[in-house]
Amino acid sequence: MVYHGIIHRYKGLLDIPQNIKAISLAEGNTPLIPAPAVAKALGASFDLFIKFEGLNPTGSFKDRGMTTAVSEAAHSGAKAVICASTGNTAASAAAYAARADMRAVVIIPAGKVAAGKLAGAIAYGADVIQIDGSFDDALTLVIKLSEKHPIALVNSLNPFRLQGQKTAAFEICDALGEAPDWLALPVGNAGNITSYWMGFTQYNTLKNTRLPQVLGVQAAGAAPLVLGYPIEKPETVATAIRIGKPARGEEALSAAQVSNGMIVSATDEEILAAQDLLAASGIWVEPASAAGIAGLKNKINDGTIDLEGKQVVAVCTGHGLKDPDIIAAKFKQPKILPPDLMTLEKEILHG
Ligand code: AN7
């Protein structure tokens, strides 16, 4: 059977106009990949699944929220959309706007967007504007621009974004039969953690699927929700979550508290180590996406959470291909040898 995306699959559960025409790229329906070797490396005996959101059409979870936000914008007659972005929102907005025959304007912090995301936004035909400022500066500006001009804001302040993104929680419950004991995920602008909590809560009310404890993980250099105050100059290798003033910070803190979970931080070193650990199981994610695993590891190590015998889902939000500069961050360029059998044999056998 052909799969038609999250609006088609879950429309009756989404607070969107029910006669909406779906602008879709068949997003969602992402796998839960068992990751026993990762769980073992974290030093506890539990069932770990990776919800690999990097397998969405533009390579990140943003597509779930963009199908609903852009469909609604088109439904309301908008001819253009705008967003601030650390990269993935920009690429996703660009793709869905192209699909809807609308203009996309994306404002990004210069020099702080991973190559695969910028390339995507350009390839899908967005008007890309770089500013000499942070994501938070860009968000403040696009809010003002969307208030002054007839251009639809598609950052996660747009409630239709959350309506789409909550479907990931539905999919997890549909696949496992109920919510996992814990859900771990990265937190940047905090739209996604808010959406998951909305989704799990709605499903539990409808279908009694229980609620997970939620572990939100920020990068240590961009951890306003852990520290309790905005960060003026956030800095992290996980550029996707290089955000100092999360728009949905209050909702994120509430989800963590009500679920008996927590919001914690992980250092860049810990995030990159978690990225390695996932890659060693064949799952290559961008740095931000490994934050959930890094946070789990920290909390297992310091004894704060006991996962023994538990079922855990870690959301890996974006594909590794988004951020190919991993070669600069972690490895030297592979050396270049003459095309000669003996030289290659020597290299392979003796290094
Ligand atoms: C891979 O694209 O904010 O907490 O502008 O790209 O909902 O913000 C991206 C965020 C996690 C954090 N993982 O999600 C943007 C942007 C990846 C991301 C997050 C982002 P939110």
Coordinates of all heavy atoms in Angstrom, one line a residue, residues 60-62 84-90 117 135 155-156 161 165 186-193 240-241 243 286 288-289 317-319, ligand 1:
S60 N 15.4 15.3 8.3 CA 15.1 15.5 9.7 C 13.7 15.5 10.1 O 12.8 15.5 9.2 CB 15.7 16.9 10.1 OG 14.7 17.9 9.9
F61 N 13.4 15.5 11.4 CA 12.1 15.4 11.9 C 11.2 16.6 11.6 O 10.0 16.6 11.7 CB 12.1 15.3 13.5 CG 12.5 16.6 14.2 CD1 11.6 17.4 14.7 CD2 13.8 16.9 14.2 CE1 11.9 18.6 15.4 CE2 14.2 18.1 14.9 CZ 13.3 18.9 15.4
K62 N 11.9 17.7 11.1 CA 11.1 19.0 10.8 C 10.0 18.7 9.8 O 9.1 19.5 9.8 CB 12.1 20.0 10.3 CG 13.2 20.4 11.3 CD 12.8 21.2 12.5 CE 13.9 21.5 13.4 NZ 13.6 22.2 14.6
A84 N 13.3 31.4 10.8 CA 14.7 31.5 11.3 C 15.1 30.0 11.5 O 14.3 29.2 11.7 CB 14.8 32.1 12.7
S85 N 16.4 29.7 11.3 CA 16.8 28.3 11.4 C 18.2 28.1 11.7 O 19.1 28.9 11.2 CB 16.4 27.6 10.1 OG 16.7 26.2 10.2
T86 N 18.5 27.0 12.4 CA 19.9 26.5 12.5 C 20.1 25.6 11.4 O 21.2 25.0 11.3 CB 20.1 25.8 13.9 OG1 19.1 24.7 14.0 CG2 19.9 26.8 15.1
G87 N 19.2 25.4 10.5 CA 19.5 24.6 9.2 C 18.4 23.7 8.8 O 17.9 23.7 7.7
N88 N 18.0 22.8 9.7 CA 17.0 21.8 9.3 C 15.6 22.4 9.0 O 15.0 21.9 8.0 CB 16.9 20.7 10.4 CG 18.0 19.7 10.3 OD1 18.5 19.4 9.2 ND2 18.5 19.2 11.4
T89 N 15.2 23.3 9.8 CA 13.9 23.9 9.5 C 13.9 24.6 8.2 O 13.0 24.6 7.4 CB 13.6 25.0 10.6 OG1 13.5 24.3 11.9 CG2 12.2 25.7 10.4
A90 N 15.1 25.3 7.9 CA 15.2 26.0 6.6 C 15.1 25.0 5.4 O 14.3 25.3 4.5 CB 16.6 26.7 6.5
K117 N 22.6 21.1 5.2 CA 21.3 21.8 5.4 C 21.2 23.0 4.5 O 20.2 23.3 3.9 CB 21.2 22.3 6.9 CG 21.3 21.1 7.9 CD 21.4 21.5 9.3 CE 21.7 20.4 10.2 NZ 21.8 20.7 11.6
F135 N 20.8 32.4 16.0 CA 19.5 31.9 15.7 C 18.5 32.7 16.4 O 17.4 33.1 15.9 CB 19.4 30.4 16.1 CG 17.9 30.0 16.1 CD1 17.3 29.5 15.0 CD2 17.2 30.0 17.3 CE1 16.0 29.1 15.0 CE2 15.9 29.6 17.4 CZ 15.3 29.2 16.2
N155 N 8.2 28.7 12.0 CA 9.0 28.2 13.1 C 8.0 27.5 14.1 O 6.8 27.6 13.9 CB 9.7 29.3 13.9 CG 11.0 29.7 13.1 OD1 11.1 30.7 12.4 ND2 12.0 28.8 13.2
S156 N 8.5 26.8 15.1 CA 7.6 26.0 15.9 C 6.7 26.8 16.9 O 5.9 26.3 17.6 CB 8.4 24.9 16.7 OG 9.3 25.5 17.5
R161 N 2.9 23.4 13.5 CA 4.1 22.7 13.5 C 4.0 21.5 14.6 O 4.3 20.4 14.3 CB 5.3 23.6 13.8 CG 5.8 24.4 12.6 CD 6.8 23.5 11.8 NE 7.8 22.9 12.6 CZ 8.9 23.5 13.0 NH1 9.2 24.7 12.6 NH2 9.8 22.8 13.7
Q165 N 4.3 17.4 14.4 CA 5.4 16.7 15.1 C 4.9 15.8 16.1 O 5.6 14.8 16.4 CB 6.4 17.8 15.6 CG 7.3 18.4 14.5 CD 8.2 19.5 15.0 OE1 8.4 20.4 14.2 NE2 8.7 19.5 16.2
P186 N 17.1 15.4 21.9 CA 17.7 16.7 22.0 C 16.7 17.8 22.1 O 15.6 17.7 21.6 CB 18.5 16.8 20.7 CG 17.8 15.9 19.7 CD 17.2 14.8 20.5
V187 N 17.1 18.9 22.8 CA 16.3 20.1 22.9 C 17.0 21.3 22.5 O 18.1 21.6 22.9 CB 15.8 20.2 24.4 CG1 15.0 21.5 24.6 CG2 15.0 19.0 24.8
G188 N 16.4 22.0 21.5 CA 16.9 23.3 21.1 C 16.0 24.4 21.3 O 15.9 25.0 22.4
N189 N 15.1 24.7 20.4 CA 14.0 25.7 20.5 C 12.9 25.1 21.3 O 11.9 25.8 21.6 CB 13.6 26.2 19.2 CG 13.2 27.7 19.2 OD1 13.6 28.4 20.1 ND2 12.4 28.1 18.3
A190 N 12.9 23.8 21.6 CA 12.0 23.1 22.4 C 10.6 22.8 21.8 O 9.7 22.4 22.6 CB 11.8 23.8 23.8
G191 N 10.5 22.9 20.5 CA 9.2 22.6 19.9 C 9.0 21.1 19.9 O 7.9 20.6 20.0
N192 N 10.1 20.3 19.7 CA 9.9 18.9 19.5 C 9.5 18.2 20.8 O 8.6 17.4 20.8 CB 11.1 18.3 18.9 CG 10.8 17.1 18.1 OD1 9.8 17.0 17.5 ND2 11.8 16.1 18.0
I193 N 10.2 18.5 21.9 CA 9.8 17.9 23.2 C 8.4 18.3 23.5 O 7.6 17.4 24.0 CB 10.8 18.3 24.3 CG1 10.6 17.5 25.6 CG2 10.8 19.8 24.6 CD1 11.7 17.7 26.6
A240 N 22.7 22.5 15.3 CA 21.3 22.4 15.2 C 20.6 22.9 16.5 O 19.5 23.5 16.5 CB 20.8 21.0 15.0
I241 N 21.3 22.7 17.6 CA 20.7 23.1 18.9 C 21.5 24.2 19.6 O 21.5 24.3 20.8 CB 20.5 21.9 19.9 CG1 21.8 21.1 20.0 CG2 19.4 21.0 19.4 CD1 21.7 20.0 21.1
I243 N 21.1 27.2 20.5 CA 19.9 28.1 20.7 C 20.0 28.6 22.2 O 20.0 27.7 23.1 CB 18.6 27.4 20.4 CG1 18.6 27.1 18.9 CG2 17.4 28.2 20.8 CD1 17.4 26.3 18.4
E286 N 23.4 13.3 12.8 CA 24.2 14.6 13.0 C 24.4 14.8 14.5 O 23.7 14.2 15.3 CB 23.4 15.8 12.4 CG 22.1 16.1 13.0 CD 21.6 17.4 12.5 OE1 22.1 18.4 13.0 OE2 20.7 17.5 11.7
A288 N 23.8 16.9 16.9 CA 22.7 17.3 17.8 C 21.8 16.0 18.1 O 21.3 15.8 19.2 CB 21.8 18.3 17.2
S289 N 21.7 15.2 17.1 CA 20.8 14.0 17.2 C 21.3 13.0 18.2 O 20.6 12.1 18.6 CB 20.6 13.4 15.9 OG 20.0 14.3 15.0
T317 N 17.2 12.9 15.6 CA 16.3 13.9 14.9 C 16.8 14.2 13.5 O 16.0 14.7 12.6 CB 16.3 15.2 15.7 OG1 17.6 15.4 16.2 CG2 15.4 15.1 16.9
G318 N 18.1 14.0 13.2 CA 18.6 14.4 11.8 C 19.7 13.4 11.4 O 20.4 12.9 12.2
H319 N 19.8 13.3 10.1 CA 20.8 12.4 9.5 C 22.2 12.9 9.5 O 22.4 14.1 9.4 CB 20.4 12.1 8.0 CG 20.9 10.9 7.5 ND1 22.2 10.7 7.1 CD2 20.3 9.7 7.2 CE1 22.4 9.5 6.7 NE2 21.3 8.8 6.7
Ligands
AN7_1 C1 18.6 17.7 14.2 O1 16.3 23.9 12.2 O2 15.8 24.8 15.5 O3 13.9 21.6 20.3 O4 16.1 25.9 13.1 O5 17.7 20.3 13.8 O6 12.3 21.4 18.5 O7 14.2 23.0 18.4 C2 16.5 22.7 14.7 C3 16.4 22.0 15.8 C4 17.1 18.7 17.4 C5 16.0 20.7 18.3 N1 17.7 18.0 16.5 O8 14.6 20.6 18.2 C6 16.2 24.6 13.2 C7 16.2 24.1 14.6 C8 17.9 18.5 15.3 C9 17.5 19.9 15.0 C10 16.7 20.0 17.2 C11 16.9 20.6 16.0 P1 13.7 21.7 18.9

